[in-house]
Protein backbone atom coordinates (compact mmCIF):
# COMPACT_ATOMS: atom_id res chain seq x y z
CA UNK A 1 0.00 0.00 0.00
CA UNK A 2 1.27 3.43 -0.93
CA UNK A 3 1.59 5.68 2.03
CA UNK A 4 1.19 9.30 1.06
CA UNK A 5 1.84 12.29 3.24
CA UNK A 6 -1.40 13.86 2.00
CA UNK A 7 -3.63 15.61 4.44
CA UNK A 8 -6.69 14.80 2.36
CA UNK A 9 -7.09 11.42 0.79
CA UNK A 10 -7.74 11.10 -2.89
CA UNK A 11 -11.22 9.69 -2.42
CA UNK A 12 -12.28 12.55 -0.23
CA UNK A 13 -10.81 14.93 -2.75
CA UNK A 14 -12.81 13.58 -5.65
CA UNK A 15 -16.02 13.17 -3.67
CA UNK A 16 -17.10 16.72 -4.51
CA UNK A 17 -18.61 17.45 -7.95
CA UNK A 18 -16.88 20.83 -8.29
CA UNK A 19 -13.52 19.26 -7.60
CA UNK A 20 -14.18 16.52 -10.10
CA UNK A 21 -14.96 19.16 -12.69
CA UNK A 22 -11.73 20.96 -11.80
CA UNK A 23 -9.74 17.80 -12.34
CA UNK A 24 -11.43 17.37 -15.69
CA UNK A 25 -10.54 20.92 -16.70
CA UNK A 26 -6.97 20.47 -15.57
CA UNK A 27 -6.75 17.16 -17.39
CA UNK A 28 -6.81 19.14 -20.63
CA UNK A 29 -4.30 21.84 -19.69
CA UNK A 30 -2.61 23.79 -16.91
CA UNK A 31 -4.66 26.74 -15.75
CA UNK A 32 -4.31 29.76 -13.48
CA UNK A 33 -6.97 30.23 -10.81
CA UNK A 34 -8.69 33.11 -12.65
CA UNK A 35 -9.32 30.89 -15.64
CA UNK A 36 -10.55 28.06 -13.43
CA UNK A 37 -12.88 30.43 -11.55
CA UNK A 38 -14.43 31.56 -14.84
CA UNK A 39 -15.65 28.02 -15.40
CA UNK A 40 -17.53 27.81 -12.11
CA UNK A 41 -20.55 29.55 -10.61
CA UNK A 42 -18.72 29.84 -7.29
CA UNK A 43 -16.41 32.49 -5.88
CA UNK A 44 -12.68 32.61 -6.36
CA UNK A 45 -12.30 31.99 -2.64
CA UNK A 46 -14.36 28.83 -2.92
CA UNK A 47 -12.38 27.70 -5.96
CA UNK A 48 -9.19 28.36 -4.06
CA UNK A 49 -10.43 26.24 -1.19
CA UNK A 50 -11.21 23.34 -3.51
CA UNK A 51 -7.82 23.64 -5.19
CA UNK A 52 -6.25 23.57 -1.78
CA UNK A 53 -7.93 20.26 -0.99
CA UNK A 54 -6.94 18.81 -4.37
CA UNK A 55 -3.42 19.98 -3.81
CA UNK A 56 -3.33 18.44 -0.33
CA UNK A 57 -4.43 15.16 -1.85
CA UNK A 58 -1.57 15.47 -4.30
CA UNK A 59 -3.96 15.63 -7.26
CA UNK A 60 -2.85 19.04 -8.46
CA UNK A 61 0.46 20.82 -8.28
CA UNK A 62 1.13 24.55 -8.27
CA UNK A 63 3.70 26.23 -10.42
CA UNK A 64 4.59 29.93 -10.58
CA UNK A 65 4.79 31.19 -14.12
CA UNK A 66 5.66 34.89 -14.09
CA UNK A 67 3.09 36.56 -11.91
CA UNK A 68 0.50 33.85 -11.99
CA UNK A 69 0.23 30.47 -10.34
CA UNK A 70 -0.77 27.66 -12.63
CA UNK A 71 -2.44 24.49 -11.50
CA UNK A 72 -1.59 21.18 -13.04
CA UNK A 73 -3.15 17.73 -12.71
CA UNK A 74 -1.02 15.06 -11.07
CA UNK A 75 -1.87 11.51 -12.00
CA UNK A 76 0.10 9.59 -9.46
CA UNK A 77 -2.49 9.55 -6.65
CA UNK A 78 -4.99 8.00 -9.02
CA UNK A 79 -3.05 4.80 -8.60
CA UNK A 80 -5.01 4.58 -5.38
CA UNK A 81 -7.97 3.93 -7.58
CA UNK A 82 -6.48 0.53 -8.16
CA UNK A 83 -7.40 -0.23 -4.63
CA UNK A 84 -10.87 0.65 -5.62
CA UNK A 85 -10.69 -2.11 -8.15
CA UNK A 86 -9.76 -4.43 -5.33
CA UNK A 87 -12.89 -3.29 -3.59
CA UNK A 88 -14.95 -4.23 -6.63
CA UNK A 89 -13.32 -7.62 -6.88
CA UNK A 90 -14.62 -8.27 -3.42
CA UNK A 91 -17.98 -6.74 -4.27
CA UNK A 92 -18.45 -9.11 -7.21
CA UNK A 93 -17.36 -12.11 -5.18
CA UNK A 94 -20.21 -11.39 -2.82
CA UNK A 95 -22.74 -10.75 -5.57
CA UNK A 96 -21.77 -13.83 -7.54
CA UNK A 97 -22.02 -15.96 -4.48
CA UNK A 98 -25.57 -14.60 -4.08
CA UNK A 99 -26.24 -15.48 -7.71
CA UNK A 100 -24.92 -19.00 -7.22
CA UNK A 101 -27.09 -19.42 -4.20
CA UNK A 102 -30.09 -18.06 -6.09
CA UNK A 103 -29.84 -20.33 -9.13
CA UNK A 104 -28.85 -23.44 -7.23
CA UNK A 105 -31.36 -23.24 -4.42
CA UNK A 106 -34.31 -21.45 -5.92
CA UNK A 107 -36.65 -24.01 -7.39
CA UNK A 108 -39.47 -22.65 -9.44
CA UNK B 1 1.54 -5.90 -12.84
CA UNK B 2 -0.24 -3.61 -15.22
CA UNK B 3 1.25 -0.28 -16.13
CA UNK B 4 0.10 2.60 -13.99
CA UNK B 5 -2.23 4.08 -16.55
CA UNK B 6 -4.21 1.00 -17.49
CA UNK B 7 -6.45 -0.72 -15.09
CA UNK B 8 -7.41 -4.28 -15.88
CA UNK B 9 -10.97 -5.38 -16.28
CA UNK B 10 -12.54 -7.40 -13.52
CA UNK B 11 -13.27 -10.91 -14.77
CA UNK B 12 -14.80 -13.66 -12.71
CA UNK B 13 -15.80 -17.13 -13.82
CA UNK B 14 -17.67 -19.75 -11.86
CA UNK B 15 -19.49 -23.00 -12.48
CA UNK B 16 -23.12 -23.03 -11.48
CA UNK B 17 -25.02 -26.20 -10.74
CA UNK B 18 -28.03 -25.07 -12.72
CA UNK B 19 -29.10 -25.39 -16.35
CA UNK B 20 -28.30 -22.49 -18.66
CA UNK B 21 -31.96 -21.44 -19.04
CA UNK B 22 -32.27 -21.01 -15.30
CA UNK B 23 -29.05 -19.01 -15.08
CA UNK B 24 -30.16 -16.87 -18.01
CA UNK B 25 -33.43 -16.14 -16.21
CA UNK B 26 -31.44 -15.10 -13.16
CA UNK B 27 -29.15 -12.71 -15.01
CA UNK B 28 -31.32 -11.44 -17.86
CA UNK B 29 -34.65 -10.67 -16.23
CA UNK B 30 -35.56 -7.84 -13.92
CA UNK B 31 -36.74 -10.23 -11.20
CA UNK B 32 -33.60 -12.35 -11.46
CA UNK B 33 -31.19 -9.45 -11.29
CA UNK B 34 -33.20 -8.02 -8.42
CA UNK B 35 -32.89 -11.25 -6.50
CA UNK B 36 -29.11 -11.46 -6.32
CA UNK B 37 -27.94 -7.99 -7.24
CA UNK B 38 -30.07 -4.85 -7.19
CA UNK B 39 -33.65 -3.73 -7.85
CA UNK B 40 -33.85 -2.48 -11.41
CA UNK B 41 -35.97 -1.60 -14.42
CA UNK B 42 -34.16 -4.01 -16.74
CA UNK B 43 -35.88 -5.47 -19.78
CA UNK B 44 -34.24 -7.94 -22.16
CA UNK B 45 -34.38 -5.62 -25.17
CA UNK B 46 -31.34 -4.49 -27.11
CA UNK B 47 -30.81 -0.77 -26.60
CA UNK B 48 -33.18 -0.69 -23.64
CA UNK B 49 -32.27 1.96 -21.12
CA UNK B 50 -32.81 0.95 -17.55
CA UNK B 51 -31.90 1.91 -14.04
CA UNK B 52 -30.18 0.02 -11.26
CA UNK B 53 -31.61 1.20 -7.96
CA UNK B 54 -28.49 1.18 -5.85
CA UNK B 55 -30.42 2.15 -2.74
CA UNK B 56 -28.73 4.78 -0.64
CA UNK B 57 -26.23 5.39 -3.42
CA UNK B 58 -28.84 6.55 -5.89
CA UNK B 59 -29.91 5.30 -9.30
CA UNK B 60 -27.44 4.21 -11.96
CA UNK B 61 -28.44 4.61 -15.61
CA UNK B 62 -27.70 1.57 -17.78
CA UNK B 63 -28.24 0.50 -21.36
CA UNK B 64 -28.40 -2.96 -22.91
CA UNK B 65 -25.66 -3.15 -25.55
CA UNK B 66 -25.59 -6.86 -26.36
CA UNK B 67 -28.25 -9.49 -26.07
CA UNK B 68 -27.84 -13.05 -27.27
CA UNK B 69 -30.03 -15.40 -25.24
CA UNK B 70 -29.07 -17.54 -23.46
CA UNK B 71 -25.35 -16.90 -23.87
CA UNK B 72 -24.54 -13.26 -23.60
CA UNK B 73 -25.82 -10.03 -22.11
CA UNK B 74 -23.86 -6.79 -21.93
CA UNK B 75 -24.80 -3.35 -20.75
CA UNK B 76 -23.31 0.04 -20.06
CA UNK B 77 -23.37 0.95 -16.39
CA UNK B 78 -23.18 4.64 -15.65
CA UNK B 79 -21.06 6.70 -17.97
CA UNK B 80 -17.96 4.60 -18.15
CA UNK B 81 -18.46 1.09 -17.00
CA UNK B 82 -19.38 -1.88 -19.06
CA UNK B 83 -20.67 -5.15 -17.64
CA UNK B 84 -20.98 -8.45 -19.50
CA UNK B 85 -22.54 -11.71 -18.43
CA UNK B 86 -21.38 -14.72 -20.42
CA UNK B 87 -23.04 -18.11 -20.11
CA UNK B 88 -21.77 -21.39 -21.44
CA UNK B 89 -23.72 -24.62 -21.28
CA UNK B 90 -21.81 -27.48 -19.69
CA UNK B 91 -22.61 -31.17 -19.29
CA UNK B 92 -24.88 -32.42 -16.51
CA UNK B 93 -27.06 -29.34 -16.50
CA UNK B 94 -24.26 -27.10 -15.36
CA UNK B 95 -23.43 -23.62 -16.56
CA UNK B 96 -20.19 -21.70 -16.71
CA UNK B 97 -20.84 -18.08 -15.85
CA UNK B 98 -18.40 -15.24 -16.49
CA UNK B 99 -18.75 -11.70 -15.31
CA UNK B 100 -16.68 -8.95 -16.91
CA UNK B 101 -16.67 -5.46 -15.44
CA UNK B 102 -14.62 -3.11 -17.60
CA UNK B 103 -14.26 0.58 -18.36
CA UNK B 104 -11.58 1.48 -15.85
CA UNK B 105 -9.75 4.22 -17.68
CA UNK B 106 -7.90 6.63 -15.42
CA UNK B 107 -5.96 8.00 -18.34
CA UNK B 108 -8.97 9.93 -19.48
CA UNK B 109 -10.03 10.66 -15.92
CA UNK B 110 -13.41 9.38 -16.85
CA UNK B 111 -13.14 6.83 -14.17
CA UNK B 112 -13.33 9.49 -11.52
CA UNK B 113 -16.62 10.75 -12.81
CA UNK B 114 -17.88 7.28 -13.47
CA UNK B 115 -17.14 6.18 -9.99
CA UNK B 116 -18.29 9.19 -8.12
CA UNK B 117 -21.23 10.42 -10.15
CA UNK B 118 -22.82 7.03 -9.86
CA UNK B 119 -23.45 7.90 -6.25
CA UNK B 120 -20.64 5.76 -4.96
CA UNK B 121 -19.19 8.30 -2.59
CA UNK B 122 -20.36 6.34 0.40
CA UNK B 123 -18.80 3.13 -0.81
CA UNK B 124 -15.54 4.84 -1.52
CA UNK B 125 -15.44 6.87 1.63
CA UNK B 126 -16.73 4.32 4.09
CA UNK B 127 -16.78 0.80 2.76
CA UNK B 128 -13.52 0.89 0.85
CA UNK B 129 -11.40 2.09 3.74
CA UNK B 130 -13.10 -0.41 6.00
CA UNK B 131 -12.39 -3.17 3.50
CA UNK B 132 -8.77 -2.22 2.96
CA UNK B 133 -8.15 -1.90 6.64
CA UNK B 134 -9.94 -5.09 7.58
Amino acid sequence: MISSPSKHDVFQAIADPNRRRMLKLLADKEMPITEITNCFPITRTAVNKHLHILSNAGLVSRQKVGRETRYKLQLEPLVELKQWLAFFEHYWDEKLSALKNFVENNND
Amino acid sequence: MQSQDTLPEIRKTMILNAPIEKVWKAVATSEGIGAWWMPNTFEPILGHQFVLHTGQFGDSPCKVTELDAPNRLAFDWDEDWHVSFELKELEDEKTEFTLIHSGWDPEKHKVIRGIMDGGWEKIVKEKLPAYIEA
Side-chain angles (χ1 to χ4, degrees), chain B residues 19-44:
Chain B
I20 193 165
E21 293 77 22
K22 191 170 181 183
V23 177
W24 180 254
K25 239 180 109 186
V27 301
T29 64
S30 180
E31 301 75 33
I33 295 169
W36 62 273
W37 192 18
M38 279 190 263
N40 62 86
T41 59
F42 175 84
E43 281 180 50

Side-chain angles (χ1 to χ4, degrees), chain A residues 50-68:
Chain A
H50 285 307
L51 285 171
H52 192 69
I53 290 169
L54 289 173
S55 160
N56 274 340
L59 283 166
V60 301
S61 64
R62 270 177 282 210
Q63 200 197 345
K64 276 243 177 223
V65 179
R67 288 171 60 194
E68 64 179 22

Side-chain angles (χ1 to χ4, degrees), chain A residues 1-2 9-12 14-17 20-21 23-24 26-28 59 73 75-76 78-108, chain B residues 1-4 6-12 14-18 22-23 25-27 31-32 35-38 77 81 83 85 97 99 101 104 106 109 111-113 115-117 120-121 123-125 127-128 131-132:
Chain A
M1 188 131 163
I2 302 152
D9 70 60
V10 62
F11 298 111
Q12 230 177 340
I14 61 178
D16 178 89
R20 289 199 298 278
R21 276 194 61 208
L23 291 177
K24 253 186 78 193
L26 294 171
D28 298 330
L59 283 166
L73 182 77
L75 272 176
E76 207 262 335
L78 294 179
V79 173
E80 277 192 41
L81 285 174
K82 274 193 176 172
Q83 291 160 12
W84 209 71
L85 224 70
F87 163 79
F88 255 98
E89 290 267 349
H90 178 71
Y91 172 84
W92 281 119
D93 280 343
E94 277 187 2
K95 294 301 164 189
L96 294 184
S97 139
L99 169 64
K100 189 173 172 67
N101 192 41
F102 177 67
V103 297
E104 292 182 0
N105 298 320
N106 170 43
N107 296 308
D108 300 330
Chain B
M1 259 323 254
Q2 301 274 333
S3 83
Q4 290 204 345
T6 11
L7 293 174
E9 64 187 18
I10 292 173
R11 177 184 280 266
K12 300 214 170 263
M14 65 177 173
I15 309 289
L16 297 167
N17 291 310
K22 191 170 181 183
V23 177
K25 239 180 109 186
V27 301
E31 301 75 33
W36 62 273
W37 192 18
M38 279 190 263
W77 179 11
W81 282 326
V83 174
F85 298 152
F97 179 79
L99 160 106
H101 183 180
W104 309 93
H109 318 294
V111 69
I112 303 170
R113 282 181 297 140
I115 288 168
M116 307 310 291
D117 291 345
W120 293 93
E121 281 97 327
I123 287 188
V124 171
K125 279 154 72 181
K127 291 199 177 181
L128 174 66
Y131 170 63
I132 289 176

